[in-house]
Amino acid sequence: DAGITQSPRHKVTETGTPVTLRCHQTENHRYMYWYRQDPGHGLRLIHYSYGVKDTDKGEVSDGYSVSRSKTEDFLLTLESATSSQTSVYFCATREQGLPQHFGDGTRLSIL
Amino acid sequence: KNEVEQSPQNLTAQEGEFITINCSYSVGISALHWLQQHPGGGIVSLFMLSSGKKKHGRLIATINIQEKHSSLHITASHPRDSAVYICAVPMNYGGSQGNLIFGKGTKLSVKP
């Protein structure tokens, strides 16, 4: 949908290792978002971007950083993964005044 | 900060039944979103509405701004409607950048 590709789709890693998730879009949307989805919670915003090099924190940003060096790519980095960051991660994009479009998600397991 | 409550959490229906899912929020909004998450995990936007009613096929979304309440209706439900339905509103009044806060979802199962 809206040409959003998340990679990898699945990843298993160990506590303490760095992890980077990539979101790539082909629609030239200005806004991009990273969410996590956990049982018993709605989607929660980690970080978002409102343009190249313009990013800001969401409600659950601790332990995560992001970068957006090009319109089409939004990277989410876990500098030192912890088991509490085991989750399903969704990327979304949108243009002003329009609904968000979501990627297919990345299932991340941290052992 | 806005808060979103959805009801019911789980819903089982027989094929053909009329379905209603409810969403309440706490702070005035510019628009409310309904999304569908398929069993495989993909999330799609169904509706974005700021007043009145919108219809798409067998799906109808309504909103009452004064009561801070929205409903999603499914007419003549079908097993392929089985999914999690999610309500979302702007995080803050006049919310910046379209940042949304999401309900926990309503899991719908339609039996043949």
Side-chain angles (χ1 to χ4, degrees):
Chain A
D1 193 5
I4 301 171
T5 304
Q6 290 187 229
S7 58
R9 293 294 315 280
H10 302 271
K11 186 172 182 67
V12 180
T13 192
E14 294 184 347
T15 300
T17 60
V19 176
T20 296
L21 307 183
R22 181 185 185 227
C23 178
H24 178 80
Q25 59 139 335
T26 59
E27 297 297 312
N28 203 37
H29 287 174
R30 177 182 174 189
Y31 301 100
M32 298 186 75
Y33 305 84
W34 275 109
Y35 296 99
R36 60 179 290 173
Q37 186 177 43
D38 303 290
H41 294 272
L43 288 157
R44 291 182 291 175
L45 181 64
I46 305 171
H47 281 278
Y48 65 98
S49 170
Y50 44 98
V52 174
K53 291 187 168 53
D54 291 323
T55 65
D56 206 347
K57 296 178 179 180
E59 60 177 315
V60 290
S61 60
D62 286 350
Y64 301 95
S65 62
V66 291
S67 65
R68 191 169 179 200
S69 58
K70 299 185 288 186
T71 297
E72 56 266 35
D73 288 327
F74 192 32
L75 304 181
L76 177 71
T77 297
L78 292 64
E79 299 290 348
S80 177
T82 68
S83 58
S84 64
Q85 294 175 310
T86 291
S87 188
V88 181
Y89 291 85
F90 285 95
C91 172
T93 73
R94 77 174 180 95
E95 261 308 330
Q96 185 74 33
L98 295 177
Q100 295 185 18
H101 297 265
F102 288 80
D104 290 333
T106 293
R107 189 171 295 273
L108 178 63
S109 296
I110 300 164
L111 307 178
Chain B
K1 180 182 168 183
N2 220 336
E3 294 181 357
V4 182
E5 292 289 336
Q6 282 186 241
S7 63
Q9 282 187 298
N10 294 281
L11 182 56
T12 300
Q14 289 297 126
E15 184 173 356
E17 285 185 0
F18 182 83
I19 305 291
T20 296
I21 298 169
N22 297 299
C23 175
S24 297
Y25 53 93
S26 58
V27 178
I29 59 171
S30 53
L32 179 143
H33 303 253
W34 281 103
L35 306 101
Q36 180 191 56
Q37 185 167 23
H38 301 294
I43 300 171
V44 296
S45 178
L46 297 175
F47 296 104
M48 183 172 102
L49 68 165
S50 55
S51 65
K53 179 169 77 173
K54 285 192 175 181
K55 182 179 181 186
H56 181 70
R58 294 179 295 104
L59 300 178
I60 304 167
T62 65
I63 188 167
N64 185 319
I65 295 293
Q66 287 73 28
E67 294 187 3
K68 297 187 178 62
H69 181 269
S70 176
S71 293
L72 177 68
H73 306 285
I74 305 174
T75 61
S77 59
H78 189 276
R80 65 176 174 265
D81 297 325
S82 297
V84 175
Y85 292 85
I86 301 168
C87 171
V89 298
M91 197 169 284
N92 304 103
Y93 181 73
S96 63
Q97 318 297 352
N99 293 356
L100 301 176
I101 186 163
F102 295 80
K104 295 179 181 179
T106 294
K107 186 174 182 180
L108 172 65
S109 177
V110 182
K111 306 294 187 187

